[in-house]
Amino acid sequence: MKMSGARMVCEALIAEGVKTVFGYPGGAIMNVYDEIYKQDGFEHILNRHEQASVHAADGYARATGDVGVAMVTSGPGFTNAVTGLATAYMDSIPMVVISGQVPLSLIGTDGFQEIDAVGISRPCTKHNYLVRDIKDLPRILKEAFHIARSGRPGPVLVDIPKDITAQIGEFEYPKSVNIPSYKPTTKGNKRQIDKAVEAILKSKKPLLYVGGGVVLSNASDLVRKLANMGGIPAVETLMARGVMGADNPLLQGMLGMHGNYSSNMAMSETDLIISLGARFDDRVTGKLSEFAKYADIIHVDIDPANISKLVDVDYPIVGDVSIVLEKMIDGIEGKINPDRYSDWRDVLDKYDNLHPLSYEDSDEVIKPQWVIERVGELIGEDAVITSDVGQHQMWTAQHYPFDRPRQWINSGGLGTMGFGFPAAIGAKKGCPDKIVINFTGDGSILMNMQELVTASEYKIPVINIILNNNFLGMVRQWQSFFYDSRFAETDLSYQPDYKAVAEACGGIGYTVTTKEEFDKALKDAIEKNRVAFINVAVNRFENVLPMVPAGGALYNMILADKTKEK
Amino acid sequence: MADVRRVISILVENESSVLSRVSGLFAGRGYNIETLTVAPIPDTNRSRITIVTKGSKRVLEQITKQLHKLIPVYKVVEHEEMVEKEMVLVKFPIDEKLADIQALCQAYNGGIANVGADMIIGMVTDEPCRIKHFVEATKRYNPIEIVRGGVVAIER
């Protein structure tokens, strides 16, 4: 069928089952927007900043597992999208971003709103395309979706010059993809899996090290099954919160820089790490030479480059965690029982009793941890939780009772402030039946606050809980610990009236200084079903603990707050 | 871990941005490029990129794996048993001892590529370490310009 390149883009999105596109129009992408106007196959959400569009598509993808789609124009439209691409790239989120480009004849002439999008995005996309011929457009769109969701997922950029979207060409959307140079390994080597099974059966202190790859591979049920079969304790990374379920007695907690004591001790004392979709990030391992000194390592990862990148691995298995786990479970079934590692679990229980994850609550001032636990009590698994980046993010990861994968959405790898609110908008579009809450800070929320307007216009009732300590809190914490309390540019006492800002943009705002006010505000925000800011004044100098100082050994945690400010 | 020199041969789809993907990967991840050579493979839509690099065992393994991840990369050959050749062109003033220069080039399996009114150009193709020796040997003849090509290599 003959049609314009712009129409091809819409037809391809519909053929891929895309229901929501987040974007912002501009000169070079106008042809496509003209076709969006004429179609009713998908909804378009107009964010008020391209960065927010890409984060919203990202949040949608994380909440649903489907490919998120964002659309931006050339030049500044694209450069605004770069942070969103990089955020998704670092966390391996499947996403397709379509950008307009100046006409082919103008490329290379420093044309108006021209920028080398493919050049800029190369290091922060899984792959990218500049479409040079309308004949290639259907194939490229098909490949973009395939590459985004297969193997180790990631964002793919398709940059389309304006004259290509205007041209008429033949459209037949390919049914399959054939990229001879791209064949991800998913099955896992049988012999390696057998050896890994032997190692598990020989181990006395095995530990499941569960990463974000388990969420991406939808392998949570299998991980729980393996853990339960052998009574194998587990630790989760920041990206894997929810995989094991908060109530699971086998779950030690989150490990790493702000992991709890028993998780980090488990990692330090285990004799066999069973790493599933995790990548030994520096925030997890601490000092490498002291990391898991007594352990052999089984490393299951779909990306061969993650294996032995930082830590030497004894049993490398390249493959999709789900497929590998099925085979592993087959191999172990009947040869193991849940009592087997009870001595090891007792040791970890003792560690947990010695230094449980805790905080000192107060009647005078609201503690940020209390707010998070309170939301967990009141809403629990009915919520999808997003966060921005900083102290509030760590407290949420530590204290919220996550029960299932995809319930917890945050920027782990890149650590992008401003991610939470637009990601919440995307998550709410993907999961309209859930209450979506963004835990944020007074630093982060200002970085994409314009999305109040988007959320109001489209009636996307996400609740932003601002844990407001009048500080850029995480940086302030490091200044307290490591810079002799010289608070360089981290005092954020000069603040807007968050309640007024929310209301000026069509949302609803609350100012909270007591626990009772918080309960009332949350209840009211849920009932009113509108986008909300709940501005909670929390203890100014609260620190995230435990903490492993950067570069320190995982077992050397700061457990008690000895800073002078209170 | 001690650094090792390695020749890496990369078979890629012959498309416009592929060289920037490969060289950008080296730059972005802090890998070292000593020489780089690219040319299309006859009768295919593929090209071969030959890179000489240096790094620890872990770095070399990462280079291979990261290159594999690039979508237009078909194959990465990192082999110790490679036959390597490199080419060099050297321009000398015409008033140097021409017979000596010619003898020197021939000693390194080369010859005289061009002679002009005021200069003579010698050409040598040989293994990279021999090229280094050749370049050193030319110095006494006051070379005006030395142009080295990158290494090309083929598996034995």
Side-chain angles (χ1 to χ4, degrees):
Chain A
M1 197 179 155
K2 293 244 184 237
M3 63 178 74
S4 70
R7 171 97 184 272
M8 288 183 190
V9 172
C10 293
E11 293 292 333
L13 295 183
I14 293 165
E16 291 291 344
V18 174
K19 292 182 188 70
T20 311
V21 172
F22 302 89
Y24 205 103
I29 194 76
M30 276 182 74
N31 294 331
V32 180
Y33 272 86
D34 193 45
E35 287 299 327
I36 289 177
Y37 186 86
K38 296 175 199 162
Q39 60 83 44
D40 55 8
F42 57 84
E43 182 190 14
H44 182 276
I45 303 288
L46 177 72
N47 298 89
R48 283 349 191 232
H49 191 299
E50 288 90 349
Q51 184 194 351
S53 295
V54 184
H55 288 329
D58 180 325
Y60 182 95
R62 292 184 203 232
T64 62
D66 297 335
V67 178
V69 179
M71 196 172 290
V72 299
T73 192
S74 66
F78 163 75
T79 54
N80 280 343
V82 170
T83 301
L85 286 167
T87 303
Y89 181 67
M90 287 292 275
D91 290 342
S92 308
I93 304 305
M95 199 160 75
V96 170
V97 175
I98 292 166
S99 55
Q101 182 54 279
V102 299
L104 278 172
S105 58
L106 280 178
I107 288 181
T109 66
D110 305 315
F112 176 65
Q113 293 193 331
E114 183 194 355
I115 198 73
D116 176 9
V118 165
I120 288 178
S121 64
R122 189 194 48 70
C124 59
T125 52
K126 183 173 173 187
H127 194 49
N128 57 20
Y129 294 91
L130 169 62
V131 183
R132 288 169 186 278
D133 190 326
I134 192 162
K135 286 206 290 286
D136 299 329
L137 184 56
R139 172 184 60 80
I140 286 174
L141 291 164
K142 180 78 187 176
E143 286 182 5
F145 276 88
H146 173 71
I147 290 169
R149 66 163 77 93
S150 60
R152 179 180 181 177
V156 178
L157 176 83
V158 183
D159 195 36
I160 316 178
K162 191 172 185 181
D163 47 344
I164 300 272
T165 52
Q167 275 171 33
I168 304 293
E170 183 64 32
F171 181 77
E172 194 186 335
Y173 199 58
K175 293 205 168 45
S176 60
V177 173
N178 179 25
I179 312 169
S181 57
Y182 175 70
K183 307 274 183 214
T185 309
T186 55
K187 289 202 176 92
N189 182 294
K190 171 90 173 53
R191 276 186 49 205
Q192 286 296 103
I193 295 172
D194 289 346
K195 280 195 209 161
V197 166
E198 287 302 311
I200 295 172
L201 293 175
K202 264 193 258 164
S203 159
K204 293 196 170 61
K205 300 175 177 178
L207 182 69
L208 290 162
Y209 162 38
V210 182
V214 170
V215 178
L216 296 165
S217 166
N218 298 316
S220 298
D221 289 343
L222 290 165
V223 174
R224 289 185 192 197
K225 190 173 170 189
L226 176 65
N228 290 336
M229 270 167 64
I232 306 172
V235 293
E236 290 173 346
T237 68
L238 173 68
M239 300 311 292
R241 298 302 269 155
V243 166
M244 294 294 292
D247 295 337
N248 195 323
L250 293 169
L251 177 66
Q252 301 306 306
M254 179 172 76
L255 86 164
M257 181 173 273
H258 293 297
N260 62 321
Y261 187 74
S262 71
S263 294
N264 284 346
M265 290 312 288
M267 193 48 112
S268 301
E269 295 192 358
T270 173
D271 67 358
L272 180 71
I273 297 172
I274 307 163
S275 170
L276 305 171
R279 60 183 175 86
F280 297 86
D281 181 87
D282 56 279
R283 287 296 192 259
V284 157
T285 61
K287 191 178 185 180
L288 276 172
S289 58
E290 292 297 307
F291 175 72
K293 275 199 289 193
Y294 311 108
D296 281 349
I297 301 178
I298 298 169
H299 190 172
V300 184
D301 202 303
I302 197 151
D303 180 356
N306 273 346
I307 291 175
S308 294
K309 179 171 67 180
L310 294 156
V311 174
D312 285 328
V313 167
D314 305 276
Y315 305 94
I317 302 172
V318 177
D320 185 316
V321 175
S322 292
I323 298 173
V324 173
L325 271 181
E326 272 174 18
K327 293 180 190 168
M328 234 182 220
I329 287 170
D330 280 350
I332 288 176
E333 204 138 40
K335 295 180 190 156
I336 204 166
N337 71 68
D339 294 332
R340 183 172 163 129
Y341 307 113
S342 56
D343 289 352
W344 168 228
R345 289 198 305 273
D346 287 347
V347 171
L348 299 180
D349 285 347
K350 272 182 205 145
Y351 282 141
D352 197 42
N353 291 332
L354 192 62
H355 297 295
L357 182 70
S358 64
Y359 67 96
E360 209 174 306
D361 203 5
S362 162
D363 294 328
E364 279 133 44
V365 58
I366 299 182
K367 289 295 185 98
Q369 300 95 326
W370 176 85
V371 177
I372 292 156
E373 286 184 353
R374 187 70 184 144
V375 176
E377 283 163 25
L378 294 175
I379 316 179
E381 68 176 321
D382 289 335
V384 171
I385 303 291
T386 71
S387 89
D388 272 301
V389 168
Q391 287 185 310
H392 65 270
Q393 176 191 26
M394 292 299 116
W395 285 318
T396 309
Q398 289 176 333
H399 293 278
Y400 196 89
F402 295 105
D403 286 312
R404 58 190 157 81
R406 302 196 183 282
Q407 188 186 7
W408 165 235
I409 293 171
N410 82 129
S411 167
L414 197 69
T416 308
M417 289 172 69
F419 171 81
F421 188 8
I425 288 175
K428 183 70 183 174
K429 287 308 292 180
C431 305
D433 300 333
K434 297 283 181 194
I435 296 167
V436 177
I437 290 183
N438 173 35
F439 282 108
T440 181
D442 48 314
S444 288
I445 191 61
L446 288 173
M447 289 202 185
N448 262 316
M449 202 164 56
Q450 78 287 339
E451 291 310 297
L452 275 166
V453 180
T454 311
S456 296
E457 180 187 353
Y458 293 96
K459 301 192 176 13
I460 305 171
V462 302
I463 299 170
N464 295 276
I465 299 176
I466 305 169
L467 299 173
N468 192 337
N469 54 11
N470 282 247
F471 266 127
L472 187 58
M474 186 59 95
V475 181
R476 194 280 308 154
Q477 176 172 339
W478 282 51
Q479 288 168 335
S480 288
F481 282 28
F482 311 120
Y483 291 85
D484 205 16
S485 297
R486 290 184 297 278
F487 299 141
E489 304 300 317
T490 48
D491 190 324
L492 302 181
S493 300
Y494 192 92
Q495 298 218 337
D497 177 343
Y498 284 108
K499 179 177 190 299
V501 169
E503 284 165 6
C505 297
I508 185 160
Y510 307 86
T511 305
V512 168
T513 54
T514 66
K515 291 177 175 176
E516 294 70 37
E517 284 172 359
F518 178 74
D519 279 8
K520 258 167 68 185
L522 182 63
K523 193 161 158 264
D524 194 61
I526 293 169
E527 268 170 21
K528 294 252 166 60
N529 207 28
R530 280 162 66 189
V531 60
F533 272 9
I534 303 179
N535 181 22
V536 188
V538 298
N539 186 31
R540 274 205 98 187
F541 286 101
E542 194 70 21
N543 291 315
V544 182
L545 293 171
M547 178 174 186
V548 179
L554 209 50
Y555 51 78
N556 278 336
M557 285 160 266
I558 302 171
L559 292 160
D561 196 339
K562 290 184 182 137
T563 52
K564 53 181 185 278
E565 301 92 6
K566 290 284 175 260
Chain B
M1 269 184 281
D3 279 1
V4 193
R5 176 184 179 277
R6 197 63 101 236
V7 181
I8 297 176
S9 194
I10 313 156
L11 266 65
V12 298
E13 180 81 21
N14 191 0
E15 59 182 33
S16 58
S17 58
V18 69
L19 181 60
S20 74
R21 291 184 200 280
V22 170
S23 61
L25 189 150
F26 274 75
R29 291 189 181 266
Y31 308 144
N32 158 12
I33 296 181
E34 283 195 354
T35 80
L36 182 153
T37 321
V38 198
I41 300 171
D43 305 321
T44 67
N45 52 1
R46 300 184 186 185
S47 284
R48 179 188 301 273
I49 301 176
T50 308
I51 292 180
V52 178
T53 184
K54 240 185 204 164
S56 65
K57 215 177 132 227
R58 175 168 283 161
V59 165
L60 292 171
E61 190 183 319
Q62 270 294 309
I63 291 176
T64 311
K65 286 173 168 179
Q66 295 291 351
L67 284 167
H68 261 299
K69 276 171 71 173
L70 298 176
I71 307 290
V73 169
Y74 287 96
K75 199 176 164 194
V76 182
V77 185
E78 187 227 329
H79 209 285
E80 284 168 64
E81 293 283 296
M82 296 276 237
V83 175
E84 297 176 36
K85 292 289 172 192
E86 191 181 331
M87 181 180 153
V88 64
L89 296 167
V90 186
K91 191 189 286 177
F92 301 95
I94 198 82
D95 46 10
E96 289 294 330
K97 293 177 183 156
L98 300 188
D100 286 10
I101 289 171
Q102 185 170 20
L104 178 63
C105 292
Q106 280 167 351
Y108 284 90
N109 301 320
I112 302 301
N114 199 306
V115 183
D118 51 5
M119 58 85 203
I120 176 167
I121 298 171
M123 179 193 78
V124 163
T125 306
D126 212 325
E127 284 160 23
C129 64
R130 293 207 6 118
I131 294 289
K132 212 172 115 198
H133 295 153
F134 171 74
V135 169
E136 272 163 27
T138 60
K139 287 202 177 135
R140 58 190 297 193
Y141 303 105
N142 303 310
I144 303 165
E145 200 176 354
I146 301 171
V147 179
R148 285 177 77 160
V151 169
V152 292
I154 193 163
E155 263 188 294
R156 183 144 48 193

